[in-house]
Amino acid sequence: MRNFVTLDTVSIDAATGILQLTTRIESTAAPSIAMRREGEYIAIAASYGPLEIALRPHYDALRRALTRLKPIGGLQSTRQIGTGQTYLSVGLQPDNVLLLRPTIVGDAAGHIVFNLAVTAEARAALFDWLGVPAVE
């Protein structure tokens, strides 16, 4: 079973260019995602307490995948950005909640993944920051 944690707060540091998605839950183990554009790449650090998954997909691939997302009930992720060993799975729910699943694959026997849900309001801010057209 997948258990998703909701990210509902967005902050953008104008000095560093880092966008951060966090939860209002007060905890040292609270999940977060930080993103920063680095040339043709986007650096993504997904943290859950002391654990972190770091990804560096192509910016255009991420933007293209998010632009093509359509709200689909039942499916949790409909696109993957990255390689076969490290990728970000994304999906859009009918209520415009964005599902993000940063994943590291060890081998055929297993993987590590964070299951994160970004509220519609936080997703809109993320899409605006990335230059992704608004969801219809």
Side-chain angles (χ1 to χ4, degrees):
M1 275 320 267
R2 293 182 180 153
N3 296 308
F4 286 85
V5 176
T6 301
L7 303 178
D8 54 10
T9 305
V10 178
S11 62
I12 300 171
D13 185 332
T16 62
I18 296 174
L19 174 133
Q20 189 160 18
L21 297 166
T22 57
T23 181
R24 293 180 189 167
I25 298 169
E26 294 289 328
S27 170
T28 57
S32 69
I33 291 185
M35 297 182 183
R36 183 175 73 177
R37 180 93 185 260
E38 294 179 346
E40 64 184 76
Y41 296 95
I42 185 146
I44 301 173
S47 301
Y48 207 118
L51 298 174
E52 177 181 86
I53 293 178
L55 305 171
R56 200 165 178 256
H58 282 96
Y59 169 77
D60 289 337
L62 176 63
R63 189 175 178 279
R64 186 172 40 256
L66 293 176
T67 299
R68 294 178 178 160
L69 279 181
K70 300 291 182 220
I72 298 175
L75 290 178
Q76 293 181 337
S77 58
T78 57
R79 303 257 188 250
Q80 289 183 353
I81 304 98
T83 69
Q85 290 77 36
T86 61
Y87 56 86
L88 178 65
S89 290
V90 296
L92 192 61
Q93 298 294 293
D95 58 359
N96 285 325
V97 168
L98 177 67
L99 300 180
L100 298 175
R101 301 185 70 231
T103 305
I104 303 283
V105 178
D107 60 17
H111 64 276
I112 297 172
V113 61
F114 295 162
N115 295 310
L116 305 167
V118 180
T119 63
E121 296 79 18
R123 184 216 34 87
L126 171 65
F127 278 26
D128 184 54
W129 183 78
L130 288 169
V132 174
V135 175
E136 299 172 6

